Amino acid sequence: MSSNRKPDDPIISLRKVSKKYPIYDRPSQKLIELLTLGRKQRHREFWALRDVDLEVRPGTTLGLVGPNGSGKSTLLQLVAGILTQTRGDCYVHGSVAALLELGAGFNPEFTGRDNVYMSGAINGLTRTQIDARFDDILDFAEIGDFIEQPVKTYSSGMFVRLAFAVAIHVDPEILLVDEALAVGDLIFQHRCINRIRKMRQEGKTILFVTHDLQALVRFCDRAILLDKGRKIGEGSPAEVAQQYQALVFDRERREAGEGEDWIQHEEDGSLPEINTIPHIHNRFGAGGAEIQGIVLLSPDGAIVNEARAGEELQLLVSVRVKQDLENPIVGVTIRDRLGTEVTATNSSYEGVTLPAMSAGTAVTVAFGIKMPELRPGSYSISPAVASGNIWEHKIEDWIDNAYIFDLAETDLVYGMMRWSFDVAYRTISS
Ligand SMILES: Nc1ncnc2c1ncn2[C@@H]1O[C@H](COP(=O)(O)OP(=O)(O)O)[C@@H](O)[C@H]1O
Ligand SMILES: [Mg+2]
């Protein structure tokens, strides 16, 4: 560390950092380049990071979010010194312990014990220091006698527990945590989070990659959003979480658009069978029935990706029953782009009793909607099928954010929605 640094100077500083990977479409291309000593270029270029500027002050817990492939792991590996940037400058003024993605750091052929000593040494600990901490590491990792087995025999959970135990016991100034935590069980995750919190209180600097936006908001002081290698957002964790959700939502909406062949129209004009679910975000249920498709249609039968306030539309949900169901109920929840529930309903609530269904049969339920005057933007529909009645039922299948549509810009709506107001007045003379 140079002597002219002040305590509050950035401990990590990236200036216009870019990282390029060569991409070979075939292994033979790499061979040609090697044999010609690079005179024949056979690869394409891929920029995993582009012109990233970042300053992290000591003691900050910085959250990194972004879609898969946005460059989060690459950024951590640059800070860890495992990779070198192609362009730009990357300064790190402190000791680093890194808990990177699975596979990094440990030698699979060696025992857990040997790996603890090796990665301790890589992180600057002497043998005596590791001896002194070994029991604590083992306690934290909770892998028992497996410590004497080669790491390649470990489950991914055991692997990550040991890696995390080592990373926190080398007592770094900077801790890098990639998505690794998601692999451990919940109890371990809680212990890790507690530990990270303690390190944060001790004034360590932490870079934390996560998809868990609640964890982001709870544990980080600041956050950045990466997309396609660029830093496209930076600010408070709550702000960045919103930007990230909006980005994901928008992308899904655009992908949702295509293809009409999955609507099977009936000759007699009765409700069609829908066979596509544009997105499966999060799905759960007992499995007695399955959502088979969902679509929003205009009166002339066209797929609606963009709706207008006041428009009359039909929302169709097809469900196939896997076990005999006495009282099936089909419903939908509508959310805005930040995940706020705008409304929800189901067949039973709307006064329609669906017939008992036997295993193997399917049903399409149509919900006629007059699109309310809501704030323009993206909305999502989450369909569900349950059995029972509104008061007491079992969810058989539920899919979050399966269908996404846009509500077009109108100049009518201020705030969240338009209410109808009656205006009256009386002029009062003095
Ligand atoms: N060694 C590599 N060679 C070529 N491309 C790579 C390599 N490592 C990562 N990439 C690519 O760089 C992009 C960013 O990867 P990564 O940093 O792992 O993203 P994230 O962690 O945000 O999912 C991805 O598109 C990935 O496929
Ligand atoms: Mg990654």
Side-chain angles (χ1 to χ4, degrees), residues 169-224:
H169 283 89
V170 299
D171 199 23
E173 287 161 272
I174 302 168
L175 177 68
L176 310 178
V177 186
D178 208 334
E179 286 167 273
L181 280 188
V183 179
D185 60 64
L186 277 179
I187 296 171
F188 182 71
Q189 283 182 24
H190 279 265
R191 282 168 53 214
C192 290
I193 293 284
N194 280 337
R195 197 58 199 232
I196 292 174
R197 194 186 274 143
K198 190 159 161 262
M199 292 176 83
R200 186 180 162 187
Q201 284 161 359
E202 289 164 359
K204 313 281 187 192
T205 307
I206 301 166
L207 267 55
F208 182 45
V209 172
T210 182
H211 283 291
D212 178 348
L213 297 182
Q214 282 187 354
L216 181 81
V217 171
R218 254 181 296 146
F219 297 111
C220 298
D221 305 307
R222 236 158 46 90
I224 62 168

Side-chain angles (χ1 to χ4, degrees), residues 116-345:
V116 168
Y117 277 88
M118 279 193 328
S119 63
I122 291 168
N123 284 297
L125 295 188
T126 63
R127 199 172 172 89
T128 324
Q129 283 174 316
I130 303 171
D131 283 340
R133 297 173 200 193
F134 192 83
D135 288 344
D136 285 344
I137 294 176
L138 200 53
D139 269 357
F140 196 92
E142 287 187 331
I143 58 168
D145 295 339
F146 269 92
I147 193 72
E148 311 301 349
Q149 299 299 315
V151 162
K152 67 181 176 195
T153 64
Y154 288 17
S155 70
S156 54
M158 291 163 64
F159 189 102
V160 92
R161 291 208 298 275
L162 187 62
F164 193 81
V166 175
I168 58 176
H169 283 89
V170 299
D171 199 23
E173 287 161 272
I174 302 168
L175 177 68
L176 310 178
V177 186
D178 208 334
E179 286 167 273
L181 280 188
V183 179
D185 60 64
L186 277 179
I187 296 171
F188 182 71
Q189 283 182 24
H190 279 265
R191 282 168 53 214
C192 290
I193 293 284
N194 280 337
R195 197 58 199 232
I196 292 174
R197 194 186 274 143
K198 190 159 161 262
M199 292 176 83
R200 186 180 162 187
Q201 284 161 359
E202 289 164 359
K204 313 281 187 192
T205 307
I206 301 166
L207 267 55
F208 182 45
V209 172
T210 182
H211 283 291
D212 178 348
L213 297 182
Q214 282 187 354
L216 181 81
V217 171
R218 254 181 296 146
F219 297 111
C220 298
D221 305 307
R222 236 158 46 90
I224 62 168
L225 171 60
L226 292 175
D227 184 36
K228 299 183 181 137
R230 292 187 193 278
K231 189 180 83 178
I232 61 163
E234 176 161 19
S236 75
E239 279 165 6
V240 172
Q242 289 213 346
Q243 288 174 5
Y244 179 42
Q245 276 184 315
L247 175 82
V248 170
F249 215 42
D250 192 49
R251 196 147 295 166
E252 290 183 346
R253 182 179 55 74
R254 268 185 279 122
E255 285 166 6
E258 295 99 44
E260 301 206 16
D261 50 343
W262 38 266
I263 300 182
Q264 278 178 30
H265 289 280
E266 299 301 302
E267 300 277 310
D268 62 1
S270 58
L271 294 173
E273 184 179 337
I274 316 299
N275 287 307
T276 282
I277 304 164
H279 304 288
I280 300 187
H281 221 150
N282 176 36
R283 184 172 197 164
F284 59 90
E290 272 181 11
I291 312 278
Q292 181 179 307
I294 174 168
V295 72
L296 189 59
L297 295 181
S298 67
D300 57 4
I303 296 172
V304 174
N305 290 308
E306 189 180 65
R308 304 187 156 274
E311 217 171 11
E312 301 207 355
L313 301 173
Q314 202 174 38
L315 172 59
L316 298 175
V317 179
S318 292
V319 166
R320 188 164 294 277
V321 173
K322 302 279 161 185
Q323 298 158 9
D324 296 355
L325 288 189
E326 199 65 36
N327 296 300
I329 305 175
V330 174
V332 290
T333 300
I334 317 260
R335 299 195 179 100
D336 72 8
R337 95 194 146 78
L338 298 175
T340 310
E341 288 184 12
V342 177
T343 191
T345 194

Side-chain angles (χ1 to χ4, degrees), residues 364-390:
T364 296
V365 177
F367 296 88
I369 311 171
K370 181 165 182 203
M371 196 50 69
E373 291 175 300
L374 296 174
R375 173 166 42 206
S378 271
Y379 288 84
S380 77
I381 309 172
S382 307
V385 50
S387 52
N389 56 51
I390 342 184

